[in-house]
Amino acid sequence: MTTNKRVLLTGGSGYLGQFVIDHLTQSNYERVTVTHLSHVSPPQTGVTSIFVDFLSEKDFLQCLEDVQPDVIINTAAISDIRRNENEPDKAAVINVPVVMFQWAQQRIAQGHNVLVVHFSTDQVFDGLSAPYKETDPVSPLHVYGRTKVLSEQRLVELLPANHIIFRPSVIVGPQPRTNN
């Protein structure tokens, strides 16, 4: 039985995103759309893959308007610590997708039900008092952690009842499939 939910997965060309795609293709969603920036994930039945430059607010909003997702799974991020330090403005735009959160907020205000599933990081903590609970105070040590704290704060502020936040630590697993 197919559900009439439309899913948008951001960051489909990333490591985590590729495994989320595998799960989504085994689910019964009406439509699954995947964004990518660096490369296209291997084609899969029932999945539409589109290029979106998150640095372009216009392109990102167009994607959201075209897809009209009921569920947004946000795995897109610049997670490389050094790159975040070297490109903090770019990291802030990609790691803190306020455009996405505001779009979902507007859809909810119009009577639609939108859920944002957001992947953050355990690097919102300083590592000195592990293990952590979700209610522990954050204390990031670098740009990546600070951008993820900000994204969590904005998401909670804009969508207080329509979000799920994951804070994984190291994500490991098998080598993802490639187009080769």
Side-chain angles (χ1 to χ4, degrees):
M1 183 164 132
T2 301
T3 176
N4 59 356
K5 300 283 185 199
R6 293 176 305 272
V7 178
L8 175 65
L9 169 66
T10 64
S13 57
Y15 185 78
L16 176 60
Q18 292 182 49
F19 291 102
V20 174
I21 292 170
D22 286 343
H23 173 74
L24 291 173
T25 59
Q26 297 170 23
S27 300
N28 295 316
Y29 294 104
E30 175 186 322
R31 183 173 60 189
V32 176
T33 305
V34 177
T35 69
H36 64 89
L37 179 59
S38 57
H39 62 278
V40 179
S41 300
Q44 296 192 29
T45 303
V47 176
T48 302
S49 185
I50 57 174
F51 174 86
V52 177
D53 181 356
F54 285 13
L55 296 175
S56 167
E57 183 176 317
K58 179 182 172 194
D59 286 356
F60 197 13
L61 282 172
Q62 187 63 56
C63 167
L64 291 164
E65 285 299 319
D66 289 348
V67 176
Q68 297 284 309
D70 303 294
V71 179
I72 302 170
I73 303 171
N74 181 36
T75 66
I78 297 176
S79 58
D80 179 275
I81 303 300
R82 182 171 292 139
R83 185 167 173 210
N84 276 270
E85 296 297 325
N86 292 336
E87 301 177 69
D89 294 337
K90 191 176 204 178
V93 171
I94 293 174
N95 294 347
V96 189
V98 174
V99 169
M100 175 197 309
F101 303 158
Q102 290 171 334
W103 181 88
Q105 181 187 44
Q106 290 171 354
R107 292 282 295 167
I108 291 165
Q110 295 166 354
H112 300 278
N113 190 17
V114 179
L115 174 67
V116 175
V117 179
H118 180 68
F119 281 83
S120 185
T121 178
D122 67 341
Q123 293 182 48
V124 299
F125 301 113
D126 59 17
L128 300 177
S129 302
Y132 292 99
K133 298 181 300 246
E134 67 183 72
T135 54
D136 288 340
V138 295
S139 181
L141 299 176
H142 41 65
V143 171
Y144 179 58
R146 287 191 293 275
T147 61
K148 287 302 195 172
V149 167
L150 183 57
S151 70
E152 290 181 14
Q153 291 169 340
R154 295 291 289 157
L155 181 56
V156 170
E157 171 191 329
L158 294 170
L159 303 170
N162 292 70
H163 71 272
I164 298 170
I165 297 172
F166 290 102
R167 287 180 177 161
S169 55
V170 178
I171 298 175
V172 296
Q175 191 65 18
R177 292 183 319 278
T178 64
N179 287 325
N180 301 347

